[in-house]
Amino acid sequence: MVQNTTSDTRKPITFFLPDFLAAWPYERLVHPSLGSVDVESASWVNDHHLFNEKAQKSFDASLFGLLGCLIFPLNSRNFCRVGCDLANAYFVIDEYNDVADPEVAGQVCDTVMDVLRNPYKERKSGDKLGAFMQGFWQRALALTTPGSACINHFVHGFDLYMKSMIVEAEDRETKRVRPVEDYLQLRRETFGAEATISLLGFGLELPEEVLSHPVIKSMTLAAMDLLCITNDMHSYPVELARGIAFHNIVTSIIHEHKLDVPGAMAWLERFGKHQVETFLDGIEELPSWGPEIDANVLRYIESIGYLVRGADAWSYESERYWGKKGLEIQITRLVTLSPEAEESQEGFLTKEELRVAMDA
């Protein structure tokens, strides 16, 4: 029997959280600059006054700078600062778009992409989001050579991400639940997976023939799916509480395969393990491009591995999804959803606050 996926569920639901990364060879690793770059990035967010005081405190408690240090542990200090900025930027945009109607989501998209395409353009007074994104993007561009293939890949990936937010806003208006494969295609974009992985190429200067190679693309797609489903399984209780769980792989599995929540989580674990196998098998199938490029490819692949692991580790260590119970859940993997917990969750800003921010 299908479990109700909205907040009117009256009975507690208990399930085991999937552990599809059990065989993932990349262990938790944190950048040595944790404690400085994350603090700098948090101050940067605060300086732009994107949320009200109460919401900003909740945003800070999510430790998005820690996320940056966990998903970019192998890179330079400057790179890690950019990584912290990117983590913060994603969640700022997500919070904006979680309450946006399609029209306002379009405004958010236009603002962000104008920054990425015109990084040194003077921003108009009151354009908080544009000024915020410009700081990130200028620091990111300093990490690589102008004209590098990775820049185009990042901009393309971010464009997909921003446009997909408009589609998600349209789905939110109608509470549409997509079939699993349809959902995954959109989720890879709403997660910003391509842009995030593309950032790992900044400074490595990998040629287009490498980035577009079928094996690299297959491994990248598997990693993208692992990032997406990791986030979805952790965020499902919060999204259920906020009434936006229709855009979550768990809900799509429930609807398409006629499963309850525990059954959907078990299905997700099997799917995740298959993606892990695809990624690890790809390492053995990589061709050679010569010693210098091969060394950078290896660095790129390792970076993707730590990116996936870091995203999962942060989900337990931050209070965003599990409050103060994250590390306990990481061990027991036992989760109980109760109606009381569902009714207590709020976002960081309202539709009215978003409209004021975008119309400034």
Side-chain angles (χ1 to χ4, degrees):
M1 182 176 179
V2 178
Q3 287 278 3
N4 194 333
T5 59
T6 62
S7 58
D8 64 355
T9 304
R10 295 295 96 192
K11 295 182 179 180
I13 303 171
T14 299
F15 60 89
F16 284 100
L17 203 65
D19 191 17
F20 41 78
L21 294 182
W24 195 246
Y26 307 93
E27 298 296 330
R28 178 191 183 279
L29 186 64
V30 66
H31 198 280
S33 294
L34 176 66
S36 58
V37 292
D38 54 318
V39 175
E40 292 170 11
S41 189
S43 296
W44 165 66
V45 177
N46 275 269
D47 288 345
H48 286 278
H49 306 290
L50 299 164
F51 304 110
N52 63 40
E53 184 176 354
K54 178 183 176 182
Q56 186 64 58
K57 288 181 179 179
S58 297
F59 189 88
D60 293 342
S62 296
L63 303 179
F64 298 123
L66 171 62
L67 174 59
C69 291
L70 284 168
I71 63 178
F72 300 114
L74 300 180
N75 304 88
S76 68
R77 186 188 189 283
N78 287 343
F79 192 110
C80 189
R81 165 60 201 276
V82 169
C84 291
D85 289 353
L86 179 61
N88 276 304
Y90 274 137
F91 284 98
V92 165
I93 293 170
D94 280 352
E95 289 299 328
Y96 272 46
N97 277 309
D98 276 351
V99 296
D101 56 36
E103 179 185 353
V104 177
Q107 288 181 256
V108 173
C109 174
D110 291 343
T111 296
V112 172
M113 292 313 301
D114 184 59
V115 171
L116 296 187
R117 295 185 176 113
N118 303 284
Y120 303 102
K121 171 183 172 181
E122 184 176 351
R123 311 310 303 177
K124 67 179 182 180
S125 176
D127 182 8
K128 291 182 180 180
L129 183 60
F132 170 74
M133 288 300 299
Q134 189 172 50
F136 152 73
W137 189 225
Q138 289 181 359
R139 282 188 288 274
L141 290 173
L143 298 174
T144 192
T145 304
S148 295
C150 57
I151 296 176
N152 289 334
H153 278 264
F154 183 91
V155 173
H156 176 261
F158 221 90
D159 189 39
L160 291 175
Y161 165 62
M162 294 309 307
K163 288 178 179 176
S164 71
M165 289 293 181
I166 301 173
V167 177
E168 183 183 354
E170 293 170 346
D171 283 1
R172 183 163 51 246
E173 293 281 293
T174 60
K175 299 190 182 302
R176 177 182 181 184
V177 176
R178 293 172 177 263
V180 173
E181 184 55 39
D182 187 19
Y183 170 79
L184 273 174
Q185 290 180 8
L186 178 62
R187 185 64 176 124
R188 293 166 193 143
E189 297 174 3
T190 61
F191 187 82
E194 180 177 331
T196 304
I197 291 175
S198 295
L199 185 65
L200 294 171
F202 281 48
L204 294 178
E205 316 305 339
L206 296 174
E208 182 62 40
E209 66 176 295
V210 172
L211 295 175
S212 299
H213 191 277
V215 175
I216 294 288
K217 291 179 72 173
S218 174
M219 294 175 69
T220 300
L221 184 64
M224 288 167 63
D225 283 349
L226 288 170
L227 288 168
C228 293
I229 66 175
T230 293
N231 183 260
D232 277 15
M233 76 172 186
H234 286 294
S235 66
Y236 180 70
V238 173
E239 292 177 356
L240 192 66
R242 292 171 64 177
I244 55 174
F246 57 86
H247 187 72
N248 189 294
I249 187 67
V250 178
T251 303
S252 290
I253 294 168
I254 288 171
H255 278 247
E256 181 173 336
H257 296 287
K258 305 298 186 289
L259 297 169
D260 57 12
V261 174
M265 291 292 180
W267 189 100
L268 191 61
E269 181 161 20
R270 293 190 295 273
F271 175 80
K273 286 181 177 179
H274 176 74
Q275 301 308 90
V276 167
E277 291 176 3
T278 298
F279 184 89
L280 298 181
D281 288 347
I283 296 175
E284 305 301 320
E285 299 168 3
L286 285 169
S288 173
W289 289 277
E292 183 176 349
I293 293 179
D294 287 354
N296 285 338
V297 169
L298 178 60
R299 179 82 168 191
Y300 184 65
I301 296 303
E302 287 180 338
S303 296
I304 294 175
Y306 286 111
L307 168 67
V308 171
R309 174 63 73 185
D312 184 57
W314 171 80
S315 298
Y316 298 108
E317 296 172 35
S318 163
E319 295 184 12
R320 181 169 177 84
Y321 302 126
W322 304 114
K324 298 186 182 300
K325 297 181 179 180
L327 295 179
E328 175 187 338
I329 289 174
Q330 187 176 26
I331 296 171
T332 67
R333 312 204 72 80
L334 188 63
V335 177
T336 298
L337 301 180
S338 65
E340 292 78 13
E342 292 174 17
E343 293 169 356
S344 65
Q345 301 289 331
E346 296 180 349
F348 290 158
L349 75 170
T350 65
K351 286 188 176 183
E352 291 71 24
E353 288 172 330
L354 175 58
R355 281 198 172 276
V356 169
M358 295 309 298
D359 290 341

